[in-house]
Amino acid sequence: MTDKSPRLRLMVPHEDGADRLAGWYLLSVYLQRTLGLALRVEHAPPGDPVPSLAQDRGLIVYGQAHTVARGVAEAGWIPVMRPMKKFEEVLILARRGVTSGARRPVAVACGEDHWLLPELGLDLLAEQGLGEDDWVLHSHATAGQALAALLDGACELALLAVSDWDQLKPAARHAFYLVAQSHSRAAFPALCVSADLKAMRPALIDAFDGLRQHASGQHICADLGEEGFEAVPMHGLEAMLARLRMRIPA
């Protein structure tokens, strides 16, 4: 990249705190030195960043599955790398100490703030032998409100994203027990580039391959809370978009 070329922007999730932000800065230094480019780390806009960034150029964006899918379908983003062994899944929870009865339909609390619910949650209910007539979904604005409905006895089960479960403190988790967890491996976060940087994808893949052998590679991945990164397989991307009823633009 020449001195006259614009500086690229590495957009990281708005909610990423200081620990992961340190990892992003280290990664940006590695990529700048490896690829010979200028790269600035920025927090993405809060909420769904796709509408705010859809027209922007020179972007390298890390996002969760829904952000990636919308970015591909609506803004032409190109997924490049994804964290190894990291997928977005859901749980079925019940209140600890309460025996599930035979009453049907079962009241199932569900937050509306995560796309996996009910996308994967309904499949998981079916795997527990609950047909469509055996449950009724009680939607709440947030995962926290869905858990409150479960604790209050208003619902007998709750669907929760694993990412939301991981954010609960151990004392809060103790109030629930895990009935089941999905293992669909269908949804994943990824590092994408904006459409104007399509030609950069092979170089980025090579750079991440080199990260495995780099002296700071293990430290960078640890700061990001990841085991490592791998190239996004096209079949995996298509499966995720299909679940969200989105398509790769022609």
Side-chain angles (χ1 to χ4, degrees), residues 185-205:
R185 299 172 66 89
F188 50 83
L191 191 79
C192 307
V193 295
S194 51
D196 59 299
L197 299 181
K198 179 179 181 179
M200 198 177 145
R201 186 175 187 271
L204 267 174
I205 292 175

Side-chain angles (χ1 to χ4, degrees), residues 198-227:
K198 179 179 181 179
M200 198 177 145
R201 186 175 187 271
L204 267 174
I205 292 175
D206 288 344
F208 274 93
D209 285 343
L211 185 63
R212 299 172 187 170
Q213 308 301 324
H214 193 272
S216 300
Q218 186 174 359
H219 180 56
I220 292 172
C221 290
D223 281 349
L224 288 170
E226 311 296 354
E227 293 187 28

Side-chain angles (χ1 to χ4, degrees), residues 70-155:
R70 282 202 65 183
V72 170
E74 299 176 16
W77 292 354
I78 300 160
V80 180
M81 305 298 297
R82 69 180 184 185
M84 297 173 61
K85 302 178 183 178
K86 189 168 187 176
F87 298 90
E88 298 184 34
E89 304 289 354
V90 299
L91 307 170
I92 297 177
L93 298 175
R95 187 160 47 125
R96 189 178 296 275
V98 175
T99 303
S100 179
R103 183 174 67 88
R104 295 292 186 270
V106 176
V108 182
C110 176
E112 297 179 346
D113 53 351
H114 202 298
W115 75 270
L116 291 174
L117 310 169
E119 287 289 343
L120 294 181
L122 302 190
D123 292 342
L124 190 58
L125 289 170
E127 291 175 11
Q128 312 315 305
L130 293 173
E132 293 184 1
D133 296 330
D134 294 326
W135 52 264
V136 59
L137 205 61
H138 289 229
S139 294
H140 299 268
T142 66
Q145 292 178 12
L147 290 179
L150 181 58
L151 283 177
D152 293 344
C155 293

